[in-house]
Amino acid sequence: MHAFDVLSDPVRRRILELLADGEMTAGAVADVVRAEFGISQPAVSQHLKVLRENGFATVRAEGTRRLYAVDTQPLRDIDAWLDRFRRFWTPHLDALATELARGRRERRLRDTDAPSRSTP
């Protein structure tokens, strides 16, 4: 399965978001995903299996628990592929950052130049 096919599913993207914060048990992942998406525990297990089989997640046993974590290599591969397209949006994001900074600076100057209002 192609990396973008794996990531095209919102449930799998959410699972990766959860795992990005650190290792989680399969049960903890299932609890969050079931609550948010209303799918069954076996369906969550299938999504974890797809992530694992396509290299996006690792699993290790700790007693009877299965702990899942993000495997970063496929994400690095996607990042490398996206690198050729960054030139399309990076200048726009830089310009946006400049405009935001300019607006903050103007508000700060306006606030410091405003006459103080003292109560009688």
Side-chain angles (χ1 to χ4, degrees), residues 26 28 36 39 54 59-61 66 70 80 84-85 88 96-97 116 120:
E36 291 180 8
I39 63 175
N54 287 280
V59 63
R60 69 180 180 88
R66 298 291 173 257
V70 170
R84 69 190 316 178
F85 301 100
F88 295 115
L96 175 61
S116 64

Side-chain angles (χ1 to χ4, degrees), residues 13-96:
R13 285 195 311 271
R14 180 62 176 130
I15 291 171
L16 283 176
E17 290 170 359
L18 293 169
L19 298 178
D21 292 333
E23 261 186 342
M24 290 181 72
T25 64
V29 170
D31 289 344
V32 172
V33 172
R34 282 193 328 239
E36 291 180 8
F37 291 90
I39 63 175
S40 67
Q41 186 278 327
V44 175
S45 293
Q46 279 301 114
H47 285 292
L48 284 167
K49 180 180 177 183
V50 169
L51 290 170
R52 193 178 62 248
E53 288 179 348
N54 287 280
F56 283 86
T58 60
V59 63
R60 69 180 180 88
E62 187 177 85
T64 58
R65 301 180 332 158
R66 298 291 173 257
L67 293 164
Y68 282 83
V70 170
D71 187 338
T72 59
Q73 187 56 52
L75 297 173
R76 283 192 212 118
D77 294 342
I78 290 171
D79 186 55
W81 184 84
L82 285 171
D83 198 45
R84 69 190 316 178
F85 301 100
R86 281 193 174 84
R87 64 187 165 97
F88 295 115
W89 65 76
T90 299
H92 300 289
L93 292 174
D94 291 344
L96 175 61

Side-chain angles (χ1 to χ4, degrees), residues 1-8 54 56 78 81:
M1 185 178 282
H2 189 276
F4 286 111
D5 293 327
V6 173
L7 296 178
S8 68
N54 287 280
F56 283 86
I78 290 171
W81 184 84

